[in-house]
Amino acid sequence: MNNPSAWYSQRINETNRQLSGIKIQINRISIFRVILFLAGIIGIIYFFHFGTWAILLTICCTFLPFFILVKFHNRLYYRKDWLETQLQLNQYELKGLQGNYSVFDEGIEFIDSEHPYSYDLDIFGRKSLFQAINRTCTHIGKQMLAEWMQKHLTDRKEIETRQKCISDLCERTAFREDFRVTGLINKGKSSDETEIRRWSNTPSTLQHLWWVKLCLWGVPLTNVTLLLLGLTHIISLSWFGLFFMFFVILSFGLIHRVTIIQDTYGKQLKTLNKYAKLITLAKKQTWEAPALQQLADSLDIDGHSPADALAQLSKELDRLDLRNNQLLYIILEGSLFFQLRQIVRIEQWKERYGNHLMHWLETVGEIDALCSLSTFAYNHPAYTYPTISDKPFLFMAQNMGHPLMPENKCVKNDATIPSRPFFLIITGANMAGKSTYLRTIGTNYLLACIGCPVCCDMLTLYPAQLFTSLRTTDSLSDNESYFFAELKRLKRIINLLNEGKELFIILDEILRGTNSVDKQKGSLDLIRQFMQLNTDGIIATHDLQLATLAKQFPENIRNYCFEADIHDNELTFSYHLREGVAQNMNACFLMKKMGITVAD
């Protein structure tokens, strides 16, 4: 349980063993079915002249077992699909443990260059944090997970509540596996939930119309009355036949409407059945985390399980298939006005449960998103849950690394921001590790604020709103320069601070789009303004002049650096954070190494 690699390997071996057994059973049953079918045909031909009982006995001994085996065969195929999906998921998780997340969803639809931090920190897209975390099996769960990562929590109690949920789910490896396999093996389209929401929100008006009530009561009553009068010879039975066919013809007007309901909503039945199975799995658990137990309890309506309610809807929709049989259609429509009756029954279901339908789906989606975060926690047993502080502001990290870097290449560093206002000024040469350090802090900060454990020996933080400016881009379509785009982003930060928002700011090489004199003056004044606005953050820069601000604000600014060391005409990087201001710059050295002439 505490060794993810061993667990997934064990599950792969066990699943392969079961899968081999299932495939052998399927092959044997297929052969046996062929034998029974051929034996039935030969038996009927051979015993044809022996009388009815001989033929019936032949059918009972051949075709009856044949149809039983067909049903059993279908169950085995479902089990085979289940095991193949289970095998694939465990194989994918092993790849993920090795740093290969290419098989997982990238979440590219959530990329937003204007977002306060997600674009800068590579939260979505190829080799992103979302790709490393996302293990959702429902479209609602995926959307919810993305929203959590786009808008992290800033309330201590909410973060601690989610930590408990993740910790509880982290211990339930079998449940998470069953939950995900169930969701993926019955996965529908991304539009299914939208269609279900639209259907549940449409008013149920048909059942309240006077002519509908008249038809539902009048048609069977008329048939019974005319049939009794005809059988007692009071009137001719032809009246019964005449009205019976009239009702059949009248029902033709409903065929189009019923077909639309069956086609547009019946397609989502598979999705609803999937949610019913996921609800059943969640309800079977006795949760340790109070919030998870509350989620499970909130699914019940008046003591009724939503799985039972959804099963009832499934039966009502399945009954509409009876109209596909022409003989049954004539009998049911002529006698009961069956199609209209079923539509009304479905509307009655919607009137009773429709308001709860999206709550059920969203609750399952929330459990699904929590399962993804829990799988991430399970896959990283060395990670620690951060302590959430009420003191504004605090960020104290020991041996912090980037969660997406391979363990053997990940150099870990500390970070200390003890009060408000407070800034770290990070100087250093090109490629020395400044940008990676900023993304390491930002990514772990986000993980902490969504309730996840972090790649850190110890982390204590105050959950302010994260805002970064690390990768500002120009825009040809908007006729917007790089410099202007960066100014707009900095203006957003200043406006939020003026509105009283609590921010944690991470900036990389600010004002790069202007000349060095303007850049230096602007950067110095910007940091002074941050001090006045009582905020916290980290700024990485090549401009060593910014380090002089520590003299102006000795209690509020600290200088750190990443050095590039040159030994025997070779450039080396330790990637370890050091106190003070960078002394070695490597641009000219690298230019010379590349064959570019640089005057000494």
Side-chain angles (χ1 to χ4, degrees), residues 171-455:
E171 301 298 321
R172 302 173 190 265
T173 49
F175 167 79
R176 286 188 283 105
E177 182 182 79
D178 286 348
F179 191 92
R180 191 165 176 227
V181 173
T182 300
L184 291 178
I185 205 170
N186 298 288
K187 197 166 188 176
K189 302 190 300 296
S190 58
S191 61
D192 286 347
E193 286 86 353
T194 304
E195 293 293 332
I196 292 169
R197 184 189 298 274
R198 184 182 297 118
W199 178 79
S200 65
N201 290 332
T202 55
S204 303
T205 55
L206 192 63
Q207 61 177 312
H208 301 297
L209 297 176
W210 66 268
W211 63 269
V212 172
K213 295 179 179 179
L214 180 63
C215 289
L216 294 181
W217 287 98
V219 169
L221 185 61
T222 300
N223 281 324
V224 171
T225 302
L226 292 176
L227 182 60
L228 289 175
L229 291 174
L231 291 173
T232 54
H233 304 292
I234 297 175
I235 61 172
S236 172
L237 272 174
S238 58
W239 284 103
F240 167 74
L242 183 64
F243 271 86
F244 187 92
M245 291 310 300
F246 171 73
F247 294 144
V248 173
I249 295 170
L250 193 63
S251 72
F252 290 163
L254 292 170
I255 290 177
H256 180 66
R257 181 167 183 172
V258 175
T259 301
I260 291 175
I261 290 175
Q262 201 169 18
D263 288 345
T264 59
Y265 190 63
K267 291 175 182 177
Q268 280 75 53
L269 182 60
K270 185 177 180 180
T271 298
L272 283 176
N273 285 336
K274 171 184 75 174
Y275 277 97
K277 292 175 182 177
L278 294 176
I279 288 170
T280 301
L281 284 173
K283 292 289 291 179
K284 285 181 179 178
Q285 298 291 312
T286 302
W287 300 104
E288 297 293 331
L292 280 173
Q293 191 59 54
Q294 288 173 10
L295 275 178
D297 293 341
S298 72
L299 291 167
D300 289 338
I301 303 298
D302 299 328
H304 296 288
S305 168
D308 294 337
L310 291 171
Q312 180 187 340
L313 175 62
S314 177
K315 290 178 182 178
E316 298 296 351
L317 285 164
D318 286 343
R319 288 194 184 106
L320 283 175
D321 290 335
L322 294 175
R323 71 195 186 98
N324 297 330
N325 185 299
Q326 294 181 357
L327 178 61
L328 279 177
Y329 175 85
I330 293 173
I331 295 172
L332 292 171
E333 292 303 320
S335 58
L336 297 172
F337 231 44
F338 176 74
Q339 292 180 113
L340 183 61
R341 190 174 297 276
Q342 278 306 111
I343 292 176
V344 168
R345 287 174 67 89
I346 291 170
E347 283 200 346
Q348 288 172 342
W349 186 97
K350 183 173 70 173
E351 193 169 64
R352 182 177 180 183
Y353 296 110
N355 292 335
H356 307 292
L357 193 54
M358 288 313 300
H359 167 69
W360 293 338
L361 270 58
E362 287 167 1
T363 300
V364 171
E366 186 171 352
I367 295 173
D368 190 19
L370 286 169
C371 281
S372 282
L373 298 180
S374 303
T375 299
F376 178 81
Y378 175 77
N379 287 347
H380 299 89
Y383 287 13
T384 58
Y385 286 95
T387 301
I388 311 302
S389 173
D390 284 326
K391 176 190 175 184
F393 181 84
L394 186 66
F395 187 89
M396 308 285 285
Q398 291 181 2
N399 290 328
M400 179 178 55
H402 198 293
L404 298 185
M405 291 188 69
E407 184 66 27
N408 59 346
K409 296 181 180 179
C410 184
V411 178
K412 297 183 178 182
N413 289 288
D414 297 346
T416 302
I417 302 178
S419 60
R420 173 180 290 173
F422 201 97
F423 266 82
L424 302 182
I425 305 295
I426 313 295
T427 53
N430 295 301
M431 304 183 298
K434 299 190 305 298
S435 297
T436 300
Y437 181 68
L438 297 187
R439 286 182 170 82
T440 296
I441 291 177
T443 303
N444 280 288
Y445 189 86
L446 176 60
L447 283 173
C449 291
I450 62 174
C452 272
V454 293
C455 184

Side-chain angles (χ1 to χ4, degrees), residues 425-428 434 508-509 519 539-544 546:
I425 305 295
I426 313 295
T427 53
K434 299 190 305 298
D508 189 8
E509 204 60 51
K519 171 187 174 183
I539 296 177
T541 181
H542 286 97
D543 190 347
L544 303 184
L546 294 190

Side-chain angles (χ1 to χ4, degrees), residues 553-564:
F553 302 96
E555 301 298 322
N556 307 101
I557 291 180
R558 291 286 185 275
N559 289 319
Y560 291 92
C561 66
F562 287 95
E563 285 287 15

Side-chain angles (χ1 to χ4, degrees), residues 450-553:
I450 62 174
C452 272
V454 293
C455 184
C456 205
D457 287 353
M458 186 280 294
L459 176 61
T460 302
L461 63 86
Y462 175 81
Q465 174 62 50
L466 180 62
F467 210 113
T468 66
S469 182
L470 310 178
R471 189 189 287 160
T472 308
T473 58
D474 55 5
S475 174
L476 294 176
S477 60
D478 295 335
N479 195 27
E480 183 179 88
S481 70
Y482 174 91
F483 180 65
F484 185 67
E486 187 178 15
L487 285 183
K488 281 173 58 179
R489 194 162 184 88
L490 293 175
K491 184 177 184 297
R492 284 178 64 189
I493 294 174
I494 298 298
N495 288 343
L496 289 170
L497 291 171
N498 282 326
E499 292 170 8
K501 296 290 193 300
E502 295 182 311
L503 301 183
F504 177 44
I505 304 166
I506 303 178
L507 306 177
D508 189 8
E509 204 60 51
I510 51 179
L511 304 180
R512 276 176 287 189
T514 186
N515 66 70
S516 58
V517 176
D518 270 353
K519 171 187 174 183
Q520 188 176 95
K521 184 179 185 305
S523 299
L524 289 168
D525 289 341
L526 178 66
I527 298 173
R528 291 189 186 102
Q529 189 172 6
F530 285 154
M531 290 291 106
Q532 293 172 2
L533 291 170
N534 200 37
T535 191
D536 295 81
I538 305 174
I539 296 177
T541 181
H542 286 97
D543 190 347
L544 303 184
Q545 189 65 28
L546 294 190
T548 62
L549 285 169
K551 297 178 181 178
Q552 186 177 346
F553 302 96

